[in-house]
Amino acid sequence: MAAAAAAATIGMMDSAYFVGRGEILSWINATLQLSLAKVEEAASGAVQCQLMDMVHPGVVPMHKVNFDAKTEYDMIQNYKILQDVFNKLRLSKNIEVNKLVKGRPLDNLEFLQWLKRYCDSVNGGIMNENYNPVERRSKGCKERSLKGSNKSSKSLQANRLSSANSADGGPCVGKVNVISEEHYIEQIQQLSEKIAGLKISMDSAEKERDFYFSKLRDIEILCQRPELEHLPMTKAVQKILYAADARDSPLPEANEIITRSPSMFPDEA
């Protein structure tokens, strides 16, 4: 268990992060009897939950794991289960859920690389021969389906009762419920479209921010060169780069630094 705890805190330069995606996919497919073609196909978190179920039998509530998760909401529920498992095992691994559910290949690859190292560290990497991955998945799906059917039957009974009340001259609750439900579904769709639009705008803003930040960082590194850092122009640029007050422009002070330097304007001297 000590080796497993140590594996939870490995750094980015560890050999675990140099394992290729082909090897990761082969390991997952062979271990869980799956046929993943891309690492981002594991973005739902269900695969990670089952890998933990394999190395720690009985710790993961497999009946709650949703292997059919398609929406970010359903995926997040799987990662909540995984985080609970990590907490039970006292693993100090941070799960970057917001990145993983977006299906970005690199983020998912890094998490699976870490998970492989962790699984290999438990019991010396020796697999449990009695573990049946297909059966474990099927059992979880059946239990979820059973709960879902119970909820559906209760809902159907309620609808029948409302219809019966209407037939007996009681209040027409069934029709009101249908109208309300359609109204809420339409609202949810509109909000979902707005959220999708905001995500696109946010991603675009993040890319633009990163682009300009990298340019500023390049300028900063250039200004730190020993042969340049003493020059008035360099000091003027640094004045602008390191200005703390966003309200007042540092440009006048930067101009003054250049103006005060006679070496900048030899013809005028």
Side-chain angles (χ1 to χ4, degrees), residues 141-173:
C141 290
K142 284 179 181 177
E143 289 187 24
R144 276 202 322 279
S145 298
L146 184 60
K147 289 182 179 179
S149 63
N150 287 339
K151 289 181 181 178
S152 299
S153 62
K154 288 179 182 178
S155 176
L156 186 60
Q157 288 174 2
N159 288 335
R160 284 174 178 170
L161 285 172
S162 64
S163 299
N165 288 335
S166 299
D168 293 337
C172 189
V173 179

Short mmCIF file of all heavy atoms in Angstrom, two decimals, residues 141-173:
data_model
loop_
_atom_site.label_atom_id
_atom_site.label_comp_id
_atom_site.label_asym_id
_atom_site.label_seq_id
_atom_site.Cartn_x
_atom_site.Cartn_y
_atom_site.Cartn_z
N CYS A 141 -25.07 -2.02 -14.76
CA CYS A 141 -26.10 -1.54 -15.72
C CYS A 141 -27.48 -2.09 -15.36
O CYS A 141 -28.48 -1.38 -15.44
CB CYS A 141 -25.72 -1.95 -17.14
SG CYS A 141 -24.28 -1.07 -17.78
N LYS A 142 -27.51 -3.37 -14.96
CA LYS A 142 -28.80 -3.98 -14.62
C LYS A 142 -29.42 -3.31 -13.40
O LYS A 142 -30.62 -3.04 -13.37
CB LYS A 142 -28.60 -5.48 -14.34
CG LYS A 142 -28.41 -6.32 -15.59
CD LYS A 142 -28.20 -7.78 -15.24
CE LYS A 142 -27.99 -8.62 -16.50
NZ LYS A 142 -27.70 -10.03 -16.17
N GLU A 143 -28.59 -3.02 -12.38
CA GLU A 143 -29.12 -2.39 -11.17
C GLU A 143 -29.62 -0.99 -11.46
O GLU A 143 -30.66 -0.58 -10.94
CB GLU A 143 -28.03 -2.35 -10.08
CG GLU A 143 -27.70 -3.73 -9.52
CD GLU A 143 -26.76 -3.65 -8.34
OE1 GLU A 143 -26.71 -2.59 -7.69
OE2 GLU A 143 -26.06 -4.63 -8.06
N ARG A 144 -28.90 -0.25 -12.32
CA ARG A 144 -29.35 1.09 -12.67
C ARG A 144 -30.65 1.04 -13.47
O ARG A 144 -31.55 1.84 -13.28
CB ARG A 144 -28.29 1.82 -13.49
CG ARG A 144 -27.23 2.49 -12.66
CD ARG A 144 -26.53 3.60 -13.42
NE ARG A 144 -26.31 3.28 -14.82
CZ ARG A 144 -25.32 2.53 -15.28
NH1 ARG A 144 -24.46 2.01 -14.44
NH2 ARG A 144 -25.19 2.29 -16.56
N SER A 145 -30.72 0.07 -14.39
CA SER A 145 -31.92 -0.09 -15.22
C SER A 145 -33.13 -0.45 -14.37
O SER A 145 -34.24 0.04 -14.60
CB SER A 145 -31.70 -1.17 -16.28
OG SER A 145 -30.64 -0.82 -17.14
N LEU A 146 -32.90 -1.30 -13.35
CA LEU A 146 -33.98 -1.72 -12.46
C LEU A 146 -34.52 -0.52 -11.68
O LEU A 146 -35.73 -0.33 -11.56
CB LEU A 146 -33.46 -2.79 -11.49
CG LEU A 146 -34.51 -3.42 -10.55
CD1 LEU A 146 -35.61 -4.09 -11.35
CD2 LEU A 146 -33.85 -4.41 -9.61
N LYS A 147 -33.61 0.31 -11.19
CA LYS A 147 -34.03 1.51 -10.46
C LYS A 147 -34.78 2.45 -11.38
O LYS A 147 -35.78 3.05 -11.00
CB LYS A 147 -32.82 2.22 -9.85
CG LYS A 147 -32.20 1.45 -8.68
CD LYS A 147 -31.03 2.22 -8.08
CE LYS A 147 -30.44 1.46 -6.91
NZ LYS A 147 -29.28 2.17 -6.31
N GLY A 148 -34.28 2.57 -12.62
CA GLY A 148 -34.92 3.45 -13.59
C GLY A 148 -36.33 2.98 -13.94
O GLY A 148 -37.26 3.77 -14.05
N SER A 149 -36.49 1.66 -14.08
CA SER A 149 -37.80 1.11 -14.43
C SER A 149 -38.78 1.29 -13.27
O SER A 149 -39.96 1.51 -13.49
CB SER A 149 -37.68 -0.37 -14.79
OG SER A 149 -37.21 -1.12 -13.68
N ASN A 150 -38.28 1.20 -12.02
CA ASN A 150 -39.14 1.41 -10.86
C ASN A 150 -39.66 2.84 -10.84
O ASN A 150 -40.83 3.10 -10.57
CB ASN A 150 -38.36 1.14 -9.56
CG ASN A 150 -38.12 -0.35 -9.36
OD1 ASN A 150 -38.83 -1.18 -9.93
ND2 ASN A 150 -37.13 -0.70 -8.55
N LYS A 151 -38.75 3.79 -11.16
CA LYS A 151 -39.16 5.19 -11.20
C LYS A 151 -40.18 5.42 -12.31
O LYS A 151 -41.16 6.14 -12.14
CB LYS A 151 -37.95 6.09 -11.42
CG LYS A 151 -37.02 6.18 -10.22
CD LYS A 151 -35.86 7.10 -10.52
CE LYS A 151 -34.91 7.17 -9.33
NZ LYS A 151 -33.73 8.03 -9.63
N SER A 152 -39.96 4.76 -13.47
CA SER A 152 -40.88 4.92 -14.61
C SER A 152 -42.26 4.36 -14.28
O SER A 152 -43.27 4.95 -14.64
CB SER A 152 -40.31 4.21 -15.84
OG SER A 152 -39.08 4.77 -16.20
N SER A 153 -42.27 3.21 -13.59
CA SER A 153 -43.56 2.59 -13.25
C SER A 153 -44.33 3.45 -12.27
O SER A 153 -45.55 3.60 -12.37
CB SER A 153 -43.33 1.18 -12.67
OG SER A 153 -42.57 1.26 -11.48
N LYS A 154 -43.60 4.08 -11.32
CA LYS A 154 -44.27 4.97 -10.37
C LYS A 154 -44.84 6.18 -11.09
O LYS A 154 -45.95 6.64 -10.81
CB LYS A 154 -43.28 5.42 -9.29
CG LYS A 154 -42.92 4.31 -8.31
CD LYS A 154 -41.90 4.81 -7.28
CE LYS A 154 -41.51 3.69 -6.32
NZ LYS A 154 -40.47 4.17 -5.36
N SER A 155 -44.06 6.70 -12.04
CA SER A 155 -44.52 7.85 -12.81
C SER A 155 -45.74 7.48 -13.65
O SER A 155 -46.68 8.26 -13.77
CB SER A 155 -43.39 8.34 -13.72
OG SER A 155 -43.83 9.40 -14.53
N LEU A 156 -45.73 6.26 -14.22
CA LEU A 156 -46.86 5.79 -15.03
C LEU A 156 -48.10 5.65 -14.17
O LEU A 156 -49.20 6.02 -14.59
CB LEU A 156 -46.49 4.45 -15.68
CG LEU A 156 -47.48 3.87 -16.67
CD1 LEU A 156 -47.69 4.82 -17.84
CD2 LEU A 156 -47.00 2.51 -17.16
N GLN A 157 -47.92 5.11 -12.96
CA GLN A 157 -49.06 4.97 -12.05
C GLN A 157 -49.65 6.33 -11.70
O GLN A 157 -50.87 6.51 -11.65
CB GLN A 157 -48.62 4.25 -10.78
CG GLN A 157 -48.33 2.76 -11.00
CD GLN A 157 -47.76 2.13 -9.75
OE1 GLN A 157 -47.60 2.77 -8.73
NE2 GLN A 157 -47.43 0.84 -9.85
N ALA A 158 -48.78 7.30 -11.47
CA ALA A 158 -49.25 8.65 -11.13
C ALA A 158 -50.04 9.25 -12.29
O ALA A 158 -51.07 9.90 -12.08
CB ALA A 158 -48.06 9.54 -10.79
N ASN A 159 -49.55 9.03 -13.52
CA ASN A 159 -50.26 9.55 -14.69
C ASN A 159 -51.63 8.90 -14.85
O ASN A 159 -52.61 9.55 -15.23
CB ASN A 159 -49.43 9.33 -15.96
CG ASN A 159 -48.22 10.25 -16.02
OD1 ASN A 159 -48.22 11.31 -15.41
ND2 ASN A 159 -47.20 9.83 -16.76
N ARG A 160 -51.68 7.58 -14.56
CA ARG A 160 -52.96 6.86 -14.66
C ARG A 160 -53.97 7.40 -13.64
O ARG A 160 -55.14 7.58 -13.93
CB ARG A 160 -52.73 5.37 -14.44
CG ARG A 160 -52.11 4.67 -15.65
CD ARG A 160 -51.79 3.23 -15.33
NE ARG A 160 -51.24 2.54 -16.50
CZ ARG A 160 -50.69 1.34 -16.44
NH1 ARG A 160 -50.62 0.69 -15.28
NH2 ARG A 160 -50.23 0.76 -17.54
N LEU A 161 -53.46 7.69 -12.42
CA LEU A 161 -54.33 8.22 -11.38
C LEU A 161 -54.87 9.59 -11.78
O LEU A 161 -56.05 9.89 -11.59
CB LEU A 161 -53.56 8.32 -10.06
CG LEU A 161 -53.30 7.00 -9.33
CD1 LEU A 161 -52.37 7.24 -8.14
CD2 LEU A 161 -54.62 6.38 -8.85
N SER A 162 -53.99 10.42 -12.37
CA SER A 162 -54.44 11.75 -12.78
C SER A 162 -55.46 11.66 -13.90
O SER A 162 -56.41 12.43 -13.95
CB SER A 162 -53.23 12.60 -13.22
OG SER A 162 -52.63 12.05 -14.36
N SER A 163 -55.25 10.69 -14.81
CA SER A 163 -56.21 10.49 -15.91
C SER A 163 -57.56 10.03 -15.37
O SER A 163 -58.61 10.46 -15.83
CB SER A 163 -55.67 9.46 -16.90
OG SER A 163 -54.45 9.91 -17.46
N ALA A 164 -57.50 9.16 -14.36
CA ALA A 164 -58.74 8.65 -13.76
C ALA A 164 -59.51 9.78 -13.08
O ALA A 164 -60.73 9.87 -13.18
CB ALA A 164 -58.40 7.56 -12.75
N ASN A 165 -58.76 10.67 -12.40
CA ASN A 165 -59.42 11.81 -11.75
C ASN A 165 -60.12 12.70 -12.76
O ASN A 165 -61.20 13.20 -12.53
CB ASN A 165 -58.39 12.64 -10.97
CG ASN A 165 -57.94 11.92 -9.71
OD1 ASN A 165 -58.65 11.08 -9.18
ND2 ASN A 165 -56.73 12.25 -9.23
N SER A 166 -59.47 12.87 -13.91
CA SER A 166 -60.06 13.70 -14.97
C SER A 166 -61.34 13.08 -15.49
O SER A 166 -62.32 13.75 -15.76
CB SER A 166 -59.06 13.89 -16.12
OG SER A 166 -57.90 14.54 -15.66
N ALA A 167 -61.31 11.75 -15.67
CA ALA A 167 -62.49 11.04 -16.19
C ALA A 167 -63.65 11.11 -15.21
O ALA A 167 -64.82 11.12 -15.60
CB ALA A 167 -62.12 9.59 -16.48
N ASP A 168 -63.34 11.18 -13.90
CA ASP A 168 -64.38 11.22 -12.89
C ASP A 168 -64.88 12.64 -12.63
O ASP A 168 -65.66 12.88 -11.71
CB ASP A 168 -63.85 10.65 -11.56
CG ASP A 168 -63.56 9.16 -11.69
OD1 ASP A 168 -64.16 8.54 -12.59
OD2 ASP A 168 -62.75 8.63 -10.91
N GLY A 169 -64.40 13.56 -13.44
CA GLY A 169 -64.85 14.94 -13.24
C GLY A 169 -63.94 15.72 -12.32
O GLY A 169 -64.25 16.85 -11.95
N GLY A 170 -62.80 15.12 -11.92
CA GLY A 170 -61.85 15.82 -11.05
C GLY A 170 -61.02 16.78 -11.85
O GLY A 170 -61.22 16.98 -13.05
N PRO A 171 -60.11 17.44 -11.19
CA PRO A 171 -59.25 18.43 -11.87
C PRO A 171 -58.40 17.80 -12.95
O PRO A 171 -57.90 16.70 -12.79
CB PRO A 171 -58.37 18.98 -10.73
CG PRO A 171 -58.39 17.91 -9.68
CD PRO A 171 -59.72 17.26 -9.77
N CYS A 172 -58.21 18.50 -14.06
CA CYS A 172 -57.45 17.97 -15.20
C CYS A 172 -55.95 18.21 -14.97
O CYS A 172 -55.33 19.07 -15.59
CB CYS A 172 -57.91 18.66 -16.48
SG CYS A 172 -57.24 17.91 -17.98
N VAL A 173 -55.39 17.44 -14.05
CA VAL A 173 -53.99 17.62 -13.66
C VAL A 173 -53.06 17.13 -14.74
O VAL A 173 -52.01 17.71 -14.99
CB VAL A 173 -53.72 16.87 -12.33
CG1 VAL A 173 -52.26 17.03 -11.94
CG2 VAL A 173 -54.63 17.38 -11.23
#
